[in-house]
Amino acid sequence: MNSKKTNNQNIKDFLFALIKNKWALTSIIWLFIIIAIAIFASQLAPFDPNKNNIMERVAPPLTLDKQGNMKYLIGSDALGRDSFSRLIFGAQVSLIVGFSAVLVGGILGTALGVYAGYYGKWIDDIIMRLADIQLAFPFILLAILFLVVLGEGLINLIIVLGIGQWVTYARIARAQTISQKEKEYVEAAKALGVNNFSIMFGSILPNIFAPLIVIASFNVASVILAEAALSFLGLGVPPQIPTWGAMLAESRDHIFAKRWWMPFFPGMAILLTVLAFNIVGDWLRDYLDPRLKEVE
Amino acid sequence: MKKLITGVAVVFGLIFPSTFTIAAPPDDTFVVGLPTDTIGLEPAQISSRHTANIMKHIFGQLYSVSETGSIDPNLAESYKISDDGKEYTFTLKEGLTCHDGEALTAEDAAYSFNRVADEDLAFTGNSAGFVYKSIDFKEARADSEREVTIVLGGPNHIALGLIAEVYVHCKDSYEKMSKDEAASNPIGSGPYEFVKWDKGSQIVLKKAANPPIPTNFENVIWRVIPEASTRTAELIAGNVDMITNASPDQVEAIDASSTAKVAKVQGTRRMYVGFHQGPEFAVTPGGAAIQKPEVRRALQYAVNVPAICENLLNAPCTRMTGIVNPNNAHPNLEPYPYDPEIAEYLLDQAGYPRDANGVRFEITLQAGEGRYLNDKNVVLAICQYLDDVGVKTNCEILDWSAVYIPLIKEKKAGPMYFIGSGGATWSPLYDMADLSAPDSGPNYTKWMNEEWFKGWKVINNTNDEYIIRREIDRMLEVFYNEGPWLHLYFQPDFYGVSNRVNWNPRRDEKVDLFNATLK
């Protein structure tokens, strides 16, 4: 009963804090909209995003059809594909890649970080030296190398971006685990004969989760940006799959022709979504930091 | 906020890459902006026009073919043909030198021709695969210090023009180099000497000490600028003097600038989609379908070529009727019209009705990106047209140099592939020579039609113009009805040219910088 009450109180506190911060609230609403758009892309998109019609290429925004109905809300691209439909389906790719890669990197990095922090000694040395090696390598270069070898594709992109993120989680999880493993609850678990795996992932992990969540929210933003950059370079997903980065890349030829809308809409989609994840991350960090709460 | 600024910077950095990093060229230097890098600088292994354009500045040829088809002296000053038409003897100019400092003699010229045919070196480029198959090259021999004879298997009406495509290099240097060394260290015989090749970036040449033909600029730099918008930005900024493959969408912007203009020519390159006829693809449903001439014919009606030209190439066009440029084409053949209903009817008749999902058969169409005018979009449009008649087409856009060209060279692209083949206006036989023999280099479709190939014997065994033309027209009818190409268009070429130079493009895509001058 008490626990339920505490949970309800926590949710209330969370919502109250969120409502108080207008930027965070707006960002979360934006992200919910984007997530909903991605989930219901097939229902929301007015056209097949890959259906081209070269007779109606590079149509400007608010182009009407012969009956006077809206046809191309934000224009059409160089092949006459509806940019609005492509933008909607592009949200799918950005979010799938963003969340999946963070999940892959987060699980891998957290597991390794907890192991390194808990066991220390040579296990710690090996994992942390691997992390150092990866950090010494520019990430985009590493991603390009992997994608050239593995080939383009959604799964490969997620793996590459996920592998690129594990180090951050591992370092934080390790540092947090080191500080937690000397605490009484861990000593007590050991004294009761609980095995190491259960202590690491049953007792320590829930206590170090907050900073990892904050990192993850920032990370989604950087992964979306990296996906856009790789798609821009033609190394993301195959050309038939619409992505914001690829839309931006395709618009390059039209900048000189003053077709501003072609880079503008995918650019804004990337900008606003990345910005929203960063603002939410900032707010989560402040919200979950007990020291800042005391100051308040 | 820091992340936001970084994000914005990344986006803008990607949109406007390296626009302001290179300084304008000095007065004695001509800079060309190319869309793709060359695969190598081996004179015996050239397989693309833009590599040939670089090589012709480093290497001399015995003769060279002008835009109008005249055969002009280059390293040689005269030639004679034996009575049986099998031996071409060229007399070299006096005082020629190689870039290694040695005198260039008939022995070097003979060595160059024989090296191309060396089975141990296994060259597959334009010279070995196209020229030698077409002229049935037997051997080359040095008759004296300045006389070299090229021996053919039989008479050939366009041998002189084809021999002009072989680059002369120098025996002493090339005998010392391995094949790999030769691919990146050309020792030339032409007007410009190789200085360096920064792969993926630039090839730098300087004027040779003793150029065989006159030339104006002291230095020529071929810069690799893959993105069309970046090439345009570099041209407008004055950092390059000429760009090839200017994007049709940027023509207005270039013309509106005060620094450059677009020079547009109707090119002779034949753009087509090849239907691979080899057994390796016949095991796939789509590959099997296109083995049937009825299916190939049906697909001709499915693609709206004039719409592609008008909308994606910014140049109205008449669809090709076959392999030969319009001035030499069959006078009575009409281009296939765009009629998807006929396409669907013919596919039904050929035994490929739509299934419950509306699909007749699935097939892959491969293409390289960046080499031809708006190539990626042209290919995606073709895929859409084929989809519309129930042929589910998987478009594979591949890296041009690293992936696509090796597939093409090994004749493994397909079952459908998009490519362009350089053509000429000076003889129909030159265009037809792509299919001079079943195993000729450019027969990427592995087409084996006997009715086509037997025509070459008739043509090469007579000098009667009427019989030759009659046989050409018969072959072109075979190609029209049963050929392995989905007919597209002759590519218009857009060159961006800086206002600081005088330079004129040719229709055959050959880039000559020898006569270019500063304004």
Side-chain angles (χ1 to χ4, degrees):
Chain A
M1 191 70 179
N2 278 344
S3 163
K4 202 173 179 183
K5 202 172 179 179
T6 313
N7 278 345
N8 285 341
Q9 189 58 45
N10 282 345
I11 291 168
K12 272 185 192 167
D13 289 349
F14 179 85
L15 291 175
F16 184 68
L18 182 60
I19 289 164
K20 265 177 57 180
N21 189 321
K22 297 286 182 292
W23 283 106
L25 182 65
T26 313
S27 299
I28 281 189
I29 290 169
W30 171 256
L31 292 178
F32 271 117
I33 291 170
I34 291 292
I35 290 167
I37 285 173
I39 292 170
F40 300 106
S42 307
Q43 286 76 33
L44 292 171
F47 296 101
D48 175 349
N50 289 319
K51 172 83 178 168
N52 69 55
N53 177 3
I54 57 173
M55 310 295 236
E56 294 181 4
R57 68 190 295 269
V58 296
L62 305 178
T63 295
L64 307 178
D65 63 14
K66 284 174 187 166
Q67 284 75 42
N69 301 318
M70 179 59 64
K71 186 155 192 193
Y72 297 121
L73 183 65
I74 59 168
S76 67
D77 71 3
L79 277 162
R81 297 173 295 196
D82 177 39
S83 297
F84 185 57
S85 303
R86 292 182 71 72
L87 203 65
I88 287 173
F89 276 90
Q92 261 185 353
V93 175
S94 291
L95 293 184
I96 287 172
V97 172
F99 286 121
S100 307
V102 165
L103 208 63
V104 169
I107 291 171
L108 183 69
T110 304
L112 290 171
V114 171
Y115 257 95
Y118 188 77
Y119 286 109
K121 297 179 185 169
W122 64 270
I123 294 178
D124 186 22
D125 284 345
I126 289 175
I127 292 172
M128 286 304 111
R129 288 311 72 77
L130 278 174
D132 291 342
I133 290 168
Q134 181 158 329
L135 279 180
F137 215 83
F139 169 63
I140 283 286
L141 205 61
L142 190 73
I144 290 170
L145 186 73
F146 269 94
L147 286 170
V148 166
V149 174
L150 295 174
E152 60 181 25
L154 198 59
I155 301 293
N156 288 346
L157 191 63
I158 289 168
I159 292 171
V160 165
L161 293 175
I163 288 173
Q165 308 304 317
W166 77 272
V167 175
T168 317
Y169 296 95
R171 289 165 81 107
I172 288 172
R174 172 184 173 272
Q176 294 287 325
T177 304
I178 289 171
S179 72
Q180 293 287 327
K181 74 176 181 183
E182 306 301 335
K183 292 202 170 161
E184 289 84 355
Y185 72 91
V186 176
E187 296 293 332
K190 279 181 183 171
L192 287 169
V194 179
N195 66 43
N196 287 334
F197 187 85
S198 298
I199 294 173
M200 281 189 288
F201 296 104
S203 304
I204 295 178
L205 185 59
N207 285 292
I208 64 169
F209 221 61
L212 294 172
I213 290 288
V214 172
I215 294 298
S217 62
F218 284 121
N219 235 211
V220 174
S222 22
V223 169
I224 289 174
L225 216 50
E227 182 276 323
L230 289 169
S231 292
F232 186 89
L233 294 172
L235 290 164
V237 294
Q240 288 88 342
I241 300 177
T243 71
W244 293 343
M247 286 177 77
L248 206 54
E250 286 157 8
S251 70
R252 271 174 303 185
D253 281 359
H254 302 272
I255 292 169
F256 284 103
K258 294 176 183 159
R259 295 173 186 138
W260 59 269
W261 61 91
M262 295 182 78
F264 179 78
F265 291 106
M268 284 306 287
I270 295 170
L271 179 73
L272 293 177
T273 307
V274 169
L275 183 64
F277 273 112
N278 282 329
I279 290 173
V280 170
D282 265 337
W283 174 77
L284 265 180
R285 186 183 53 202
D286 295 349
Y287 176 74
L288 293 171
D289 190 335
R291 286 165 299 184
L292 289 177
K293 273 186 183 171
E294 279 164 20
V295 171
E296 277 178 28
Chain B
M1 186 49 75
K2 197 175 164 189
K3 278 175 185 273
L4 168 64
I5 293 167
T6 310
V8 173
V10 167
V11 171
F12 276 84
L14 288 167
I15 292 173
F16 303 107
S18 66
T19 303
F20 307 106
T21 53
I22 308 283
D27 285 351
D28 64 351
T29 302
F30 193 105
V31 182
V32 182
L34 295 173
T36 54
D37 199 1
T38 179
I39 297 165
L41 294 170
E42 164 60 73
Q45 181 66 36
I46 295 165
S47 49
S48 72
R49 171 58 60 204
H50 81 270
T51 300
N53 282 335
I54 298 168
M55 297 302 259
K56 71 186 290 194
H57 290 79
I58 305 174
F59 294 92
Q61 304 122 286
L62 294 174
Y63 268 70
S64 52
V65 182
S66 75
E67 188 184 6
T68 56
S70 64
I71 313 288
D72 302 331
N74 193 301
L75 295 178
E77 61 184 13
S78 64
Y79 67 91
K80 59 186 181 202
I81 305 171
S82 66
D83 292 341
D84 63 3
K86 291 183 180 178
E87 295 197 356
Y88 286 66
T89 300
F90 296 87
T91 304
L92 299 180
K93 290 174 182 169
E94 277 188 84
L96 296 172
T97 52
C98 295
H99 297 167
D100 59 6
E102 298 288 321
L104 194 156
T105 66
E107 197 182 350
D108 293 303
Y111 168 78
S112 304
F113 276 80
N114 289 327
R115 181 171 175 268
V116 171
D118 188 335
E119 286 180 7
D120 292 339
L121 295 170
F123 290 120
T124 57
N126 180 65
S127 300
F130 172 61
V131 173
Y132 282 26
K133 293 282 181 195
S134 303
I135 62 175
D136 192 15
F137 173 84
K138 295 298 178 195
E139 63 161 340
R141 64 168 191 268
D143 297 332
S144 68
E145 186 77 2
R146 288 175 51 211
E147 281 188 323
V148 59
T149 296
I150 313 297
V151 183
L152 318 184
N156 186 299
H157 299 290
I158 55 167
L160 205 53
L162 291 169
I163 288 169
E165 296 197 5
V166 178
Y167 296 96
V168 175
H169 34 296
C170 300
K171 186 177 175 183
D172 287 350
S173 291
Y174 275 84
E175 273 188 338
K176 287 177 199 157
M177 287 193 282
S178 70
K179 199 175 167 185
D180 285 344
E181 286 169 335
S184 56
N185 184 34
I187 310 292
S189 55
Y192 285 96
E193 209 173 312
F194 172 75
V195 176
K196 66 172 179 171
W197 176 20
D198 301 325
K199 287 188 182 177
S201 176
Q202 62 173 358
I203 293 168
V204 180
L205 312 179
K206 68 172 184 185
K207 193 192 265 191
N210 181 24
I213 56 172
T215 185
N216 295 320
F217 283 92
E218 286 297 318
N219 306 292
V220 170
I221 299 174
W222 308 82
R223 278 185 56 201
V224 181
I225 311 173
E227 298 302 336
S229 50
T230 314
R231 283 200 300 283
T232 298
E234 290 289 65
L235 178 72
I236 291 174
N239 296 333
V240 298
D241 293 308
M242 186 269 281
I243 61 170
T244 64
N245 273 17
S247 166
D249 283 312
Q250 290 160 14
V251 168
E252 274 182 42
I254 295 171
D255 282 342
S257 75
S258 58
T259 50
K261 289 281 176 286
V262 170
K264 178 181 160 190
V265 287
Q266 176 53 61
T268 55
R269 178 169 296 279
R270 298 147 297 159
M271 303 304 302
Y272 68 94
V273 171
F275 296 115
H276 202 293
Q277 301 295 293
E280 57 272 47
F281 288 114
V283 292
T284 63
I290 59 167
Q291 299 272 325
K292 292 185 177 181
E294 303 85 27
V295 171
R296 300 201 293 271
R297 208 155 40 238
L299 297 182
Q300 305 279 6
Y301 291 96
V303 180
N304 191 347
V305 177
I308 289 175
C309 295
E310 184 87 37
N311 293 288
L312 297 180
L313 307 181
N314 201 13
C317 70
T318 304
R319 187 178 189 179
M320 59 165 62
T321 59
I323 194 169
V324 168
N325 265 273
N327 62 318
N328 293 313
H330 190 304
N332 301 327
L333 293 178
E334 289 294 324
Y336 283 102
Y338 170 58
D339 193 331
E341 283 181 17
I342 292 182
E344 298 229 27
Y345 172 77
L346 292 176
L347 286 167
D348 286 341
Q349 295 296 306
Y352 291 96
R354 285 180 184 261
D355 65 14
N357 298 317
V359 176
R360 297 173 187 280
F361 58 84
E362 280 191 42
I363 197 161
T364 296
L365 168 54
Q366 294 185 318
E369 186 179 1
R371 168 65 185 88
Y372 306 118
L373 200 63
N374 218 352
D375 44 18
K376 180 181 162 190
N377 284 343
V378 168
V379 172
L380 290 173
I382 293 169
C383 289
Q384 182 68 60
Y385 282 121
L386 297 179
D387 273 342
D388 290 346
V389 297
V391 177
K392 192 175 176 189
T393 311
N394 169 33
C395 257
E396 278 186 9
I397 310 290
L398 307 167
D399 179 82
W400 171 263
S401 304
V403 183
Y404 190 58
I405 280 300
L407 282 175
I408 285 288
K409 273 165 56 183
E410 292 169 25
K411 301 186 180 180
K412 288 179 179 171
M416 294 204 295
Y417 62 88
F418 171 81
I419 203 161
S421 182
T425 52
W426 54 273
S427 168
L429 296 174
Y430 181 89
D431 285 350
M432 292 165 72
D434 274 4
L435 302 171
S436 62
D439 62 345
S440 72
N443 186 9
Y444 306 124
T445 59
K446 296 190 177 176
W447 192 49
M448 302 290 175
N449 188 293
E450 283 180 17
E451 288 298 309
W452 169 274
F453 288 106
K454 76 181 186 187
W456 288 109
K457 274 187 189 166
V458 177
I459 289 169
N460 288 333
N461 287 331
T462 182
N463 285 321
D464 185 323
E465 290 294 330
Y466 173 76
I467 295 173
I468 291 171
R469 186 66 233 189
R470 192 183 63 191
E471 192 59 19
I472 287 172
D473 287 343
R474 187 194 65 77
M475 291 168 75
L476 292 178
E477 281 175 34
V478 171
F479 192 87
Y480 182 83
N481 291 318
E482 302 192 13
W485 291 11
L486 196 161
H487 305 165
L488 295 179
Y489 49 86
F490 299 94
Q491 180 174 265
D493 294 320
F494 295 86
Y495 297 89
V497 186
S498 164
N499 289 344
R500 84 169 193 134
V501 297
N502 294 305
W503 176 82
N504 292 314
R506 292 171 53 147
R507 283 192 60 197
D508 57 8
E509 282 188 18
K510 290 179 182 172
V511 171
D512 289 340
L513 301 179
F514 315 119
N515 297 324
T517 56
L518 209 59
K519 274 183 181 169

